[in-house]
Amino acid sequence: MVLSHFPAELPVKSLNQYLKMKLPLSFMSLMLILAIIPPAFAQEKVSGRITENIKNDKVPLPYANIYWGGTTTGSVSDENGHFVLERISGNNTLVASYVGYLNDTIILKPGQKKIDIFLQPGTDLAEVEIKQRMAGSFISSVKPIKTEVITSAGLTKLACCNLSESFENNATVDVGFSDAVTGAKQIQMLGLAGVYSQLMVENIPFTRGLGSAFGLTYIPGTWMESIQVSKGSSSVINGYESITGQINAEFRKPFDMDRFYLNLYGNNEGRLELNSHASHVFAEDKLSTAVLAHVSGQFMRIDMNEDGFLDQPLSRQVNLSNRWSYEKHGVTESKFGINFLYDERNGGQLMNLATKEAIDQGKYVIDMVTRRVQLYDKTGFVFSGMDNTSLGLIFSGLYHDQQSVFGARDYNATQLGFYGNAIFQSQIANPAHVYNAGVSWMYDDYDEVISDTSFSRVESVPGVFAQYTYSPNEKLSLIAGFRADHHNKYGTFYTPRIHFKVNIFEHTVLRGSAGKGYRTPSILAENTGMLVSARQLIFREDFTMEEAWNYGLNITQTIALAEDRNLTLSADFYRTDFINQVILDIDQSFDRIEIYNLNGKSYSNSFQINAEAGLFKGFDLTLAYRFNDVQATTAGELRERPLVSRHKGLLSMSYATRFEKWKFDLTAQYNGRTRLPLNMPALAEVGYGDYSPHYYMVYTQVTRKFKKFDVYAGVENLTNFVQHDPILGYDQPFESGFDAGVMWGPLLGRMVYAGLRYAIK
Amino acid sequence: MKNTLILFMMLAFSVSLYAQQPKTQVINIKVSSQCEDCKETIERALAFERGITKSTVDLETNTVEVTYKTGKTDPDKIRKAIAAAGYDADEVKADSKAYTALKDCCKKPEDREFDHSGHNH
């Protein structure tokens, strides 16, 4: 069986993919089996079998791709994993790929006729060969939507602590504190707040609504297997919400993780953390389960800038997850589980007082308790006998409760949420034409009260969607998607999105996207920073839905430096144009925030260049530069958005000795100045001009691997740069002028940490 | 100043003398390696053993040359470490559990499903 123009790099669609729900999977799914032409001449042949090794049993991988490296000539394995392939003269490199598994490249010896290939499961890394050392991050060359993947190797470079700390060596996503008291962190993509990007865990929306402020800190770093970051419009399959991009975190899979894992972490500022996982595979690898646990706390009271406020709140978090995976090969696959979270934070004027005493004495205190339970199930069915046809069902239920005090403000909120998505996929005539269609329903019941004012509401959004993927060959793919949703308050709205990917040359990939996105804001939950101020909240009108177009273009060039080292260059440009936006106007006066619908222009232009290179064996270098131009009309005038930096630079170096016995990582960031809010005399009083200063941040880490465990130590914020006077009017926190929400830089100074990881495979 | 310098140099010299104290030895051990993967597996296993500074598997002769510190390990321990990784080491037989977990290409020809010497993952 020889296939001409076999789409070598594109794995076969399977149920597996659906469950993993990679965003571009609908595209990757395309390539099943093309026309089979019998060999015309009897040539020298290579035969063998493609299997997976599970507990010493060889499980055949049917319909796996096998092809000659650098060519499109190949074949697929049969039901028992066997394949026969004709030799191509001068080519002795065989590549095997299978969806959900890592590619394998095999060098054949001259005259070798039989080969046995084992593939290892791996979710996102289908396009990477198994190597001794895995790059910390890479740009996927297969996916039609440009996707940066942060691998588990990249995640371990950042020893602490959760998703909010996972982007320090990534130029695409900016992370900063949203205020100087609560410890809440916010991300930015394309210079716009994180709420405009969709945050998902295994393609289930994660931080919608009340989870927005602290959601990033609810995902422990060690639970994650990888993070995929894609800028611009994403697939309509996952909903209408992403405007600037999508971040998807994949957790470790029960069937594929260490039997036992323990991670201990501590730093000199009094943060302690314990992560532990255990997994068990039941009979025949059909059923497996895992328990993941995270316990952490901030136990030390630190006030480096001596403003009487804790630099970060005292905190305790317990986070538990039980995951299950069921698989009946070729028929159905299911993943379900439950997550619990308890999170408690006490911050403010607590240097010498317990929380209760401080409140009794009239100090400024924030006191928050969050409880969260999430249930989810993802099940897929394969229609045997119908090529490329499957049905995926996703359900998730959420209970989120936050009871809190912000100084003189009480804020109590509960969210009951349900999310359901059913996706059908099939092909029209042949795998070059694949379509998806489905229905979804999002339901959220918010009971939200701030200082006796209720913001309670119910949102119910049923929707339908369809997506068509055309990929005649491996060089071109086009995705056109459309969805219609009906919001119980804002009515019906439509979301068109298109993507394309063209391999202009063998190693040059051009991608583009255009699409619409919508969202309904949860003003209070998404902007806790504004609760930590004496600013009055002035709601000028009822909000309408936020609505924006996003257009993007990017090009990626790969240059081989050596056999296993590449230089990857990429450049991209994205523009976001708001049709409507809820504006939080902090420029009018220091004593209020005016909140109203956009009247005029609001846009963001973001340009980024990246160079990643394996300079010599074991050494990787990343250089990146990003430029943001973000403007919005406030009070009739188009202005640069406050607290958004125009320039950012990044340098990241990583060196590992053989077998990663020693690993050294260093990341340096340049963060440009940001415009400060207008009409704030307090800023001038503490020495600020119109702009905040620019600054550098340096992170470094050393890891030493031993036979059974790893030990690591590192420093964050090596240059010890901190934002001065982060809390304006700290001496009179209940008076007009108090404001802890003007954040542009780091709050915490140099921090030293150490920890260890122990695993039983 | 000059005295300090001399003192420092003497100290440095004595330290370097001391550093040579745990003498290194080289030993050749016969192993049941089959392919490139085995070379990788054995060298990786030995890299994380105490006292071993270097190891190189020669697939032509199926021997591993191990450089180790005499004070910290001995040939018996090294052989046991190789056996624990699933390979015979001289007269020490491979740990059977580790052996069955090896990839097909790393097993002895009689235990293999396919012949494919030279399989390079």
Side-chain angles (χ1 to χ4, degrees):
Chain A
M1 296 194 297
V2 172
L3 306 183
S4 53
H5 300 293
F6 192 80
E9 291 285 325
L10 294 159
V12 181
K13 165 69 189 170
S14 82
L15 187 53
N16 216 353
Q17 276 277 311
Y18 245 127
L19 293 166
K20 281 154 191 161
M21 283 303 266
K22 292 297 103 49
L23 170 144
L25 64 88
S26 46
F27 165 74
M28 297 188 11
S29 57
L30 297 187
M31 309 304 179
L32 199 52
I33 310 154
L34 293 187
I36 293 167
I37 304 157
F41 304 99
Q43 292 175 344
E44 198 188 333
K45 285 176 186 166
V46 178
S47 64
R49 197 176 179 206
I50 304 173
T51 56
E52 184 194 358
N53 212 351
I54 298 176
K55 296 264 153 77
N56 309 317
D57 273 343
K58 288 179 200 68
V59 178
L61 296 176
Y63 313 117
N65 295 341
I66 176 105
Y67 53 92
W68 296 104
T71 75
T72 55
T73 309
S75 179
V76 284
S77 59
D78 68 12
E79 281 158 17
N80 297 314
H82 293 287
F83 67 90
V84 184
L85 202 58
E86 277 177 36
R87 277 259 189 187
I88 294 183
S89 63
N91 195 328
N92 61 352
T93 311
L94 263 185
V95 182
S97 74
Y98 191 66
V99 72
Y101 289 77
L102 299 165
N103 280 10
D104 197 4
T105 301
I106 301 103
I107 315 279
L108 295 180
K109 279 189 173 173
Q112 186 178 352
K113 287 181 181 165
K114 277 200 161 180
I115 180 91
D116 194 14
I117 299 168
F118 296 94
L119 294 184
Q120 296 190 19
T123 47
D124 302 297
L125 313 175
E127 47 282 81
V128 192
E129 296 169 22
I130 306 167
K131 279 180 201 153
Q132 242 186 56
R133 217 164 63 83
M134 197 193 277
S137 68
F138 61 91
I139 297 169
S140 165
S141 63
V142 176
K143 303 181 173 185
I145 298 170
K146 184 184 171 187
T147 307
E148 291 172 59
V149 181
I150 302 169
T151 64
S152 56
L155 286 167
T156 56
K157 286 179 187 178
L158 310 157
C160 187
C161 297
N162 51 54
L163 187 60
S164 74
E165 277 130 344
S166 302
F167 302 106
E168 280 156 5
N169 48 18
N170 178 296
T172 301
V173 182
D174 300 304
V175 185
F177 283 103
S178 60
D179 63 78
V181 180
T182 65
K185 288 201 174 169
Q186 266 183 351
I187 57 162
Q188 275 182 8
M189 255 171 109
L190 311 182
L192 293 166
V195 290
Y196 294 112
S197 49
Q198 198 177 19
L199 180 62
M200 327 245 291
V201 170
E202 303 190 331
N203 287 77
I204 298 173
F206 187 77
T207 58
R208 305 183 55 252
L210 301 186
S212 304
F214 296 94
L216 291 170
T217 59
Y218 299 158
I219 304 178
T222 58
W223 291 17
M224 290 183 283
E225 182 181 79
S226 67
I227 306 171
Q228 296 95 44
V229 181
S230 55
K231 282 194 262 193
S233 244
S234 55
S235 165
V236 292
I237 292 174
N238 292 322
Y240 54 82
E241 284 192 315
S242 70
I243 292 174
T244 54
Q246 195 179 53
I247 297 170
N248 180 47
E250 286 289 321
F251 282 0
R252 294 179 189 277
K253 310 285 182 278
F255 52 84
D256 193 26
M257 54 194 267
D258 297 324
R259 278 192 295 141
F260 176 77
Y261 175 94
L262 178 72
N263 166 238
L264 296 170
Y265 167 99
N267 72 26
N268 69 325
E269 291 177 351
R271 183 178 172 82
L272 293 174
E273 195 171 311
L274 181 150
N275 293 289
S276 185
H277 328 150
S279 69
H280 184 73
V281 177
F282 294 95
E284 293 175 46
D285 301 304
K286 279 190 177 148
L287 185 68
S288 51
T289 187
V291 176
L292 300 103
H294 164 98
V295 182
S296 64
Q298 170 66 37
F299 299 105
M300 235 148 85
R301 295 162 198 262
I302 294 177
D303 179 19
M304 300 290 272
N305 51 18
E306 297 179 347
D307 56 11
F309 280 70
L310 297 183
D311 291 344
Q312 51 185 334
L314 301 173
S315 68
R316 275 157 295 265
Q317 187 183 108
V318 177
N319 203 340
L320 299 171
S321 174
N322 180 212
R323 297 162 62 70
W324 291 84
S325 171
Y326 173 79
E327 184 180 350
K328 196 168 176 194
H329 202 77
V331 180
T332 182
E333 195 173 329
S334 183
K335 292 188 169 60
F336 51 95
I338 185 163
N339 301 334
F340 293 96
L341 172 94
Y342 175 85
D343 185 79
E344 192 185 321
R345 286 155 198 265
N346 292 286
Q349 295 177 313
L350 290 178
M351 261 328 270
N352 309 306
L353 295 169
T355 310
K356 181 127 195 339
E357 288 171 337
I359 294 173
D360 291 345
Q361 292 183 25
K363 300 285 186 193
Y364 189 95
V365 172
I366 63 129
D367 181 9
M368 289 167 55
V369 176
T370 305
R371 293 178 180 86
R372 195 177 154 97
V373 182
Q374 195 175 16
L375 276 160
Y376 63 90
D377 173 55
K378 293 204 281 186
T379 303
F381 304 94
V382 171
F383 295 82
S384 56
M386 286 170 78
D387 287 339
N388 222 352
T389 304
S390 61
L391 176 70
L393 300 173
I394 302 174
F395 298 103
S396 115
L398 171 73
Y399 167 80
H400 184 116
D401 175 69
Q402 178 181 338
Q403 304 293 321
S404 50
V405 176
F406 292 84
R409 286 175 172 140
D410 286 344
Y411 173 69
N412 298 314
T414 306
Q415 177 185 0
L416 266 175
F418 172 81
Y419 171 80
N421 199 6
I423 309 148
F424 177 75
Q425 167 166 310
S426 193
Q427 65 184 37
I428 305 165
N430 63 57
H433 308 273
V434 167
Y435 67 91
N436 298 89
V439 292
S440 68
W441 185 40
M442 247 194 271
Y443 175 88
D444 290 290
D445 183 345
Y446 295 94
D447 180 6
E448 198 177 20
V449 179
I450 181 163
S451 309
D452 300 331
T453 309
S454 172
F455 285 81
S456 298
R457 65 201 180 277
V458 171
E459 290 188 39
S460 172
V461 193
V464 293
F465 59 87
Q467 177 174 283
Y468 164 71
T469 309
Y470 174 63
S471 37
N473 54 52
E474 74 273 26
K475 288 183 183 139
L476 173 72
S477 61
L478 268 170
I479 303 177
F482 185 81
R483 59 181 299 141
D485 295 87
H486 182 83
H487 190 285
N488 59 327
K489 188 173 171 201
Y490 302 111
T492 306
F493 53 98
Y494 306 98
T495 315
R497 289 177 185 175
I498 54 164
H499 296 90
F500 73 85
K501 174 196 160 214
V502 188
N503 290 33
I504 320 175
F505 305 107
E506 197 186 344
H507 299 291
T508 312
V509 183
L510 177 73
R511 293 179 179 88
S513 67
K516 224 174 184 187
Y518 300 82
R519 61 184 299 278
T520 50
S522 293
I523 302 291
L524 298 170
E526 285 159 11
N527 300 283
T528 49
M530 71 185 193
L531 299 180
V532 196
S533 77
R535 286 176 186 261
Q536 256 189 296
L537 309 181
I538 300 172
F539 294 88
R540 286 253 206 86
E541 56 191 329
D542 263 358
F543 315 126
T544 54
M545 259 186 136
E546 296 190 282
E547 180 180 356
W549 283 98
N550 181 289
Y551 317 92
L553 208 56
N554 68 70
I555 188 161
T556 304
Q557 170 78 45
T558 312
I559 299 161
L561 297 177
E563 198 189 337
D564 56 351
R565 289 183 286 110
N566 286 324
L567 167 66
T568 307
L569 299 170
S570 68
D572 60 54
F573 177 79
Y574 287 87
R575 177 170 173 100
T576 311
D577 253 318
F578 281 93
I579 297 165
N580 185 50
Q581 188 176 23
V582 175
I583 302 280
L584 275 73
D585 186 350
I586 53 174
D587 285 326
Q588 298 313 311
S589 166
F590 68 92
D591 64 0
R592 66 189 121 119
I593 300 177
E594 298 192 18
I595 303 163
Y596 49 85
N597 292 310
L598 174 69
N599 183 12
K601 272 187 181 175
S602 172
Y603 65 83
S604 141
N605 291 324
S606 182
F607 170 75
Q608 186 176 326
I609 45 173
N610 258 304
E612 281 166 43
L615 281 189
F616 52 86
K617 201 171 168 59
F619 184 82
D620 292 325
L621 176 74
T622 304
L623 280 167
Y625 168 75
R626 196 216 54 214
F627 173 79
N628 282 339
D629 174 26
V630 188
Q631 313 254 356
T633 307
T634 56
E637 203 176 317
L638 189 65
R639 289 193 180 95
E640 187 179 348
R641 267 198 165 245
L643 307 172
V644 174
S645 74
R646 286 171 86 84
H647 304 280
K648 181 176 181 175
L650 184 98
L651 163 78
S652 175
M653 289 185 286
S654 169
Y655 177 71
T657 62
R658 199 160 177 232
F659 305 121
E660 298 192 317
K661 209 167 169 178
W662 286 95
K663 224 158 56 174
F664 304 90
D665 290 291
L666 179 85
T667 298
Q669 278 179 9
Y670 167 81
N671 293 279
R673 64 181 198 174
T674 66
R675 179 177 79 78
L676 295 173
L678 303 176
N679 300 313
M680 290 192 72
L683 281 173
E685 280 165 28
V686 294
Y688 284 104
D690 295 342
Y691 287 86
S692 69
H694 60 82
Y695 64 94
Y696 297 90
M697 289 287 276
V698 178
Y699 307 86
T700 178
Q701 187 185 310
V702 181
T703 305
R704 170 70 158 91
K705 204 169 174 165
F706 293 94
K707 203 169 162 185
K708 293 202 169 81
F709 58 96
D710 298 355
V711 179
Y712 59 87
V715 184
E716 287 187 14
N717 195 358
L718 190 68
T719 55
N720 201 21
F721 178 86
V722 289
Q723 171 175 347
H724 70 85
D725 298 285
I727 304 177
L728 300 164
Y730 62 84
D731 45 353
Q732 291 179 307
F734 296 99
E735 299 298 317
S736 176
F738 170 75
D739 196 340
V742 183
M743 286 304 301
W744 52 265
L747 261 178
L748 308 173
R750 185 183 303 125
M751 188 263 279
V752 182
Y753 64 87
L756 76 88
R757 299 183 199 102
Y758 171 78
I760 301 173
K761 295 233 181 312
Chain B
M1 183 62 208
K2 203 174 172 186
N3 284 345
T4 320
L5 195 69
I6 289 167
L7 196 72
F8 178 76
M9 282 171 70
M10 280 173 67
L11 193 71
F13 185 63
S14 64
V15 165
S16 72
L17 265 184
Y18 177 77
Q20 286 171 3
Q21 222 33 48
K23 262 172 49 192
T24 58
Q25 280 261 348
V26 179
I27 182 179
N28 276 289
I29 297 172
K30 189 90 182 147
V31 289
S32 55
S33 55
Q34 309 290 336
C35 60
E36 277 292 322
D37 275 4
C38 308
K39 179 176 163 70
E40 173 85 18
T41 310
I42 295 169
E43 289 175 7
R44 177 184 289 271
L46 291 179
F48 292 99
E49 283 298 322
R50 190 177 125 93
I52 294 176
T53 48
K54 192 170 175 245
S55 74
T56 316
V57 173
D58 183 340
L59 290 171
E60 294 290 308
T61 59
N62 287 324
T63 53
V64 56
E65 185 184 283
V66 184
T67 312
Y68 66 98
K69 289 177 186 155
T70 47
K72 294 192 172 173
T73 188
D74 58 57
D76 271 353
K77 281 187 188 160
I78 298 170
R79 287 189 196 100
K80 275 180 190 151
I82 296 169
Y87 295 90
D88 297 344
D90 290 341
E91 71 284 357
V92 182
K93 286 276 168 244
D95 175 74
S96 60
K97 217 173 147 190
Y99 175 75
T100 45
L102 292 178
K103 289 180 190 164
D104 199 48
C105 68
C106 291
K107 290 180 181 161
K108 293 169 192 173
E110 60 269 26
D111 299 334
R112 253 181 260 169
E113 271 212 351
F114 286 91
D115 172 48
H116 61 341
S117 45
H119 180 174
N120 178 14
H121 271 274

